Amino acid sequence: MLDARIVKLPANAQQHHHEHHQVVVGVRGAAELCVDGLGAYLDTWKACLVPTEIEHDYCGDQKNHVLVINLDPQSPALASSAHREYELLARMFDKPCTVQMDHRLQGLVQFAAGEFDRAPDNEPLHRHLAASILYSMADRVIDGASVKPARHSVSPEATRRFILENLHRKITVKDLAGEACLSVSRFHEIFREVAGITPHQFLLQTRLEQAASLLASSQLSVSEISYRTGFSSQSALTNALRKYKGTTPSRLQIGEYVA
């Protein structure tokens, strides 16, 4: 019925088509697809649905990895009247589209990708995980919940990039909402629905992750790292690490692991 694998798309654009429906899901980095003239930018919160026989271009950055799931209409089992699964899933592929994943679906994809890496030769496991992703995605796409552009126009990955590019300065939720061209209240509502946490929590989480990384991998002082990651002072960073990560700068500097 289906097969799935993790692949790295080439940096130079390629083009092909195939005799099966395909889902391409961002796992790491970023990738781009152009399907029948419809451009799709894939980060770790987006997937692209590619119907059978449609020409499409694809490429990715140096860090990209995507999960490719192929839905084969020629599978003998699917020709049986006892199998209606294909007909259900195929309804997703009436036309090319980009799917904005919510935090539950994104978490499932990331879990599956980890299992693919852990057990690269376990094809039955891969098929079962891919089926779980497809059924979860179909449940969202067929009722339109994941393809409403006004409601799901927020990408946590794009928000993270903006935060990292402006990490040293004060960033407000108003700034994040402005990047998404939404009001603060609307942005807060959509972001929480998509990411599972509030924009403020996401901002703090991103700052702490970057600070922890710098503390563990650089020779910079705690004061300098506090400045670079947007904390008002060394003590503010220390207090935040203790409260939210259960550790301190000194412990990170000697190699303590932080979840």
Side-chain angles (χ1 to χ4, degrees):
M1 178 178 175
L2 58 87
D3 66 84
R5 62 192 185 280
I6 302 285
V7 301
K8 183 175 182 178
L9 299 184
N12 297 322
Q14 309 277 330
Q15 184 181 81
H16 70 186
H17 69 278
H18 33 68
E19 297 181 356
H20 52 261
H21 299 312
Q22 186 177 80
V23 180
V24 184
V25 192
V27 172
R28 289 185 289 275
E32 293 184 56
L33 279 79
C34 184
V35 186
D36 199 25
L38 175 68
Y41 176 87
L42 298 186
D43 56 27
T44 58
W45 290 82
K46 291 192 180 71
C48 185
L49 305 183
V50 185
T52 182
E53 294 292 356
I54 290 185
E55 292 279 351
H56 51 285
D57 302 308
Y58 55 92
C59 62
D61 65 15
Q62 294 300 319
K63 297 180 179 180
N64 92 88
H65 283 84
V66 297
L67 171 61
V68 176
I69 305 175
N70 296 321
L71 186 63
D72 185 4
Q74 304 302 320
S75 172
L78 294 173
S80 167
S81 60
H83 291 270
R84 297 182 179 179
E85 288 87 352
Y86 175 76
E87 285 76 11
L88 169 66
L89 296 175
R91 290 171 59 194
M92 286 197 294
F93 299 93
D94 290 340
K95 60 182 179 180
C97 73
T98 301
V99 177
Q100 174 72 54
M101 296 185 291
D102 57 37
H103 70 284
R104 292 183 179 87
L105 183 53
Q106 197 260 2
L108 176 59
V109 168
Q110 292 298 318
F111 169 77
E115 290 297 288
F116 274 57
D117 289 341
R118 185 189 64 80
D121 299 320
N122 192 336
E123 293 186 5
L125 173 64
H126 300 175
R127 287 195 296 271
H128 281 291
L129 290 169
S132 296
I133 291 168
L134 279 181
Y135 279 107
S136 296
M137 192 173 291
D139 194 50
R140 291 159 168 79
V141 170
I142 291 171
D143 67 11
S146 294
V147 291
K148 295 178 182 177
R151 188 160 184 77
H152 290 294
S153 57
V154 173
S155 165
E157 195 65 29
T159 301
R160 187 188 302 278
R161 287 196 299 272
F162 174 79
I163 292 170
L164 291 176
E165 288 167 2
N166 297 276
L167 198 61
H168 65 284
R169 70 177 185 85
K170 181 179 179 181
I171 303 171
T172 66
V173 175
K174 184 178 180 179
D175 295 328
L176 302 179
E179 283 295 300
C181 300
L182 294 168
S183 68
V184 172
S185 60
R186 185 65 169 155
F187 176 78
H188 189 282
E189 176 192 359
I190 298 173
F191 191 94
R192 185 165 187 170
E193 181 178 343
V194 171
I197 59 176
T198 68
H200 178 74
Q201 290 169 329
F202 186 84
L203 173 60
L204 178 58
Q205 182 182 86
T206 304
R207 290 194 189 281
L208 285 172
E209 287 171 354
Q210 189 67 9
S213 176
L214 288 172
L215 285 163
S217 63
S218 76
Q219 300 300 313
L220 295 171
S221 68
V222 178
S223 178
E224 176 65 17
I225 291 172
S226 301
Y227 167 75
R228 292 192 180 196
T229 54
F231 288 91
S232 59
S233 65
Q234 179 176 327
S235 62
L237 171 58
T238 301
N239 291 337
L241 281 170
R242 184 178 290 114
K243 180 177 180 179
Y244 295 102
K245 296 288 188 180
T247 189
T248 63
S250 59
R251 289 176 182 171
L252 289 169
Q253 287 174 323
I254 61 173
E256 181 191 89
Y257 172 77
V258 173

